Amino acid sequence: MSGFLQEHGGQIARLTLEHVWLTGSAMLFAAGIGLPLGVWLTRHERWSRPVLGVANVLQTIPSLALFGLLLPVPFLGDRAARLAIVALTGYALLPILRNTYAGILAVDPALIDVSNAIGMSGMQRLMKVELPMSASVILAGLRTATVTCVGVATIAAAIGAGGLGELIFRGVASVDNGLVLAGAIPAALLALCADGVLGFAEKKTVIRR
Amino acid sequence: MATQEVEFAHVSFDLPGGRRLLDDISLKVAAGSTTALLGRSGSGKTTLLRTVNALVRPTGGKVLVGGQDVAQADVIALRRGIGYVIQETGLFPHMTVGRNVGMALELAGKSIDDRRAKSIEMLKMVGLADDLLERYPWQLSGGQRQRVGLARALAAEPAVLLMDEPFGALDPLTRVEMQTMLKELLRRVGKTTLIVTHDLEEALYLADRVVLVAEGKIVADLAAGEVRSSMNEAVQAYVAATHRGPA
């Protein structure tokens, strides 16, 4: 065990960082698109079905196929990590989008009424009432998205984007279970960590009434 | 802000499906007076109230506040000049009592010290101690919550006060306490007040004038003192329903 770590420790650390980088960037993009788009959909409800539909379809494409399909796309295909981040963003989008949309629409209509009646602008209502009231639902979406992302990011190694999947793929190819576990265990720990931190934040933002 | 007259001029409201909720309602509410809109559930009285702060846009006719057409007014400025109190759920559950009460001042960009001072003043006005400032709505009793709601509505010093079944969810004893407090308060501040209720006793106790609404129309418009002796059938039915003795 210690010999194994001595041999592979540096590599595991490097690939874990790579994994965090892939997942983290994808989550930033997904949140950057999903949150505002989710809010926008609550203001333009007739677009909600088509937009959520597209996000739904994105999620159903098998990850390996999506990576493969994006490979010939110019600019994206040039660098594997770039491509992986775009694909992961696609996967993370749906839970964020859906929970933002549903969370805001679930805010008690009486409170929306009162917000309007007290003279809030649309932006003030969003920042002071709608987002705080739906924060726990939105965070639940971010949590689902992050955990999914950490998992799917292991597949990104198939197209040479790096991350912990590299160890898993190499282990599978050389029938070396130690190597598979060296990739799988840190990936699982990353997922658990993200789940724990975001789950805690989610509980903290639940509003008692 | 000085108190203002509210006028409904041939106000109608149809739902997109065509159902008529308000049918040619005309009514003048004198500045500083208290008028009760009385009627059974679904009569249109709440819809009528909500045309005043433009939460409902009439499909016909005009609503005037202080002589100004609500449809032409800047809606945010209009609403900041009108207090609005609803049943139960009106307080923001994620904000402290102090922040709830000071919200109108927060929106107006007032400093935190101003807001705090105003919140304390307003709580005192509705009979609450300032140790409630840091509490959350779920930590209050139903009566306290309703007082906080009233304090919040009055904090902006509105010209007009709208109340929609404000005490509907309270037990009878708390309700009577609240009515007593409100009557005294309204006498002191002298705001033009429209109060929606289905409770005749409440209407008679609080209001100078009682307007009976049924199926989107005004069926009676009386001074509070004339209600019990009125020969109007709809009014008599309402009085009779309130004073039903043992079977």
Side-chain angles (χ1 to χ4, degrees):
Chain A
M1 180 72 190
S2 69
F4 183 86
L5 276 184
Q6 226 155 35
E7 195 187 331
H8 296 288
Q11 199 184 13
I12 293 174
R14 181 178 63 76
L15 292 173
T16 303
L17 276 182
E18 228 170 65
H19 206 91
V20 170
W21 156 249
L22 286 176
T23 318
S25 334
M27 283 307 299
L28 279 182
F29 282 119
I33 300 167
L35 282 172
L37 189 56
V39 170
W40 187 84
L41 287 183
T42 62
R43 269 74 173 152
H44 303 85
E45 280 208 54
R46 65 204 179 90
W47 286 96
S48 67
R49 279 176 71 98
V51 173
L52 288 172
V54 168
N56 243 319
V57 168
L58 267 183
Q59 188 115 45
T60 59
I61 304 174
S63 45
L64 203 52
L66 185 58
F67 287 127
L69 283 172
L70 289 175
L71 217 41
V73 176
F75 181 74
L76 285 186
D78 297 351
R79 276 170 185 265
R82 199 182 279 166
L83 191 160
I85 289 169
V86 170
L88 290 175
T89 302
Y91 281 108
L93 205 53
L94 177 68
I96 299 176
L97 192 57
R98 191 185 47 204
N99 280 39
T100 305
Y101 175 73
I104 290 180
L105 285 191
V107 175
D108 185 348
L111 290 180
I112 301 297
D113 242 22
V114 169
S115 309
N116 289 333
I118 208 166
M120 287 189 192
S121 65
M123 190 47 107
Q124 285 170 329
R125 198 181 77 207
L126 180 69
M127 302 309 284
K128 290 178 195 292
V129 181
E130 289 172 307
L131 284 180
M133 293 291 299
S134 53
S136 69
V137 178
I138 295 174
L139 279 166
L142 284 170
R143 182 158 76 123
T144 312
T146 311
V147 173
T148 310
C149 236
V150 171
V152 175
T154 55
I155 314 284
I159 53 153
L164 289 161
E166 215 174 292
L167 292 171
I168 300 175
F169 277 106
R170 253 199 287 144
V172 170
S174 56
V175 203
D176 181 344
N177 282 340
L179 218 48
V180 172
L181 288 177
I185 292 173
L189 288 178
L190 275 183
L192 281 175
C193 263
D195 192 57
V197 170
L198 288 167
F200 179 76
E202 189 186 320
K203 278 200 194 69
K204 280 279 160 201
T205 50
V206 169
I207 287 155
R208 182 143 178 201
R209 34 191 332 166
Chain B
M1 202 183 294
T3 183
Q4 289 174 336
E5 176 187 84
V6 174
E7 184 180 354
F8 302 90
H10 304 287
V11 170
S12 296
F13 180 70
D14 300 311
L15 286 179
R19 204 161 84 83
R20 177 150 278 213
L21 294 189
L22 298 176
D23 190 4
D24 192 28
I25 287 196
S26 292
L27 178 69
K28 244 186 197 177
V29 182
S33 71
T34 301
T35 298
L37 299 173
L38 185 71
R40 57 166 79 195
S41 306
S43 60
K45 56 194 193 300
T46 291
T47 308
L48 184 63
L49 187 81
R50 288 159 61 90
T51 60
V52 179
N53 57 0
L55 290 176
V56 169
R57 300 283 189 176
T59 45
K62 283 200 274 203
V63 181
L64 303 147
V65 175
Q68 198 199 8
D69 186 350
V70 164
Q72 312 289 324
D74 168 48
V75 69
I76 288 179
L78 171 86
R79 287 170 176 166
R80 286 186 185 170
I82 298 176
Y84 185 60
V85 181
I86 60 171
Q87 182 179 323
E88 255 275 76
T89 51
L91 297 181
F92 298 119
H94 59 299
M95 296 180 190
T96 60
V97 166
R99 186 153 180 232
N100 262 291
V101 176
M103 183 46 70
L105 278 73
E106 181 178 329
L107 294 174
K110 292 280 161 48
S111 77
I112 192 136
D113 291 336
D114 284 358
R115 271 140 60 185
R116 196 184 150 81
K118 189 72 181 179
S119 297
I120 293 171
E121 180 197 332
M122 286 295 128
L123 286 182
K124 202 167 155 192
M125 195 160 161
V126 297
L128 293 175
D130 57 13
D131 60 354
L132 292 185
L133 273 183
E134 300 305 320
R135 302 252 187 104
Y136 284 87
W138 62 268
Q139 297 169 305
L140 306 180
S141 69
Q144 285 173 326
R145 256 181 254 168
Q146 230 32 47
R147 284 174 200 253
V148 173
L150 185 59
R152 179 176 66 182
L154 292 172
E157 296 177 15
V160 175
L161 183 62
L162 307 177
M163 307 184 86
D164 190 359
E165 296 281 5
F167 312 137
L170 302 176
D171 65 80
L173 290 177
T174 311
R175 199 179 165 111
V176 164
E177 267 172 42
M178 292 295 295
Q179 287 165 349
T180 311
M181 183 272 295
L182 179 63
K183 190 176 173 81
E184 161 60 16
L185 187 64
L186 289 179
R187 198 185 53 75
R188 265 189 296 152
V189 298
K191 306 267 180 218
T192 311
T193 305
L194 274 164
I195 176 163
V196 161
T197 179
H198 55 242
D199 179 346
L200 178 67
E201 299 288 350
E202 182 166 280
L204 291 180
Y205 179 70
L206 290 173
D208 316 316
R209 182 173 171 201
V210 176
V211 173
L212 186 61
V213 182
E215 288 167 25
K217 292 194 177 83
I218 293 179
V219 291
D221 179 358
L222 302 162
E226 301 167 4
V227 170
R228 286 186 201 281
S229 55
S230 166
M231 298 309 283
N232 182 309
E233 274 179 39
V235 177
Q236 284 180 340
Y238 222 101
V239 172
T242 308
H243 293 283
R244 187 153 80 165

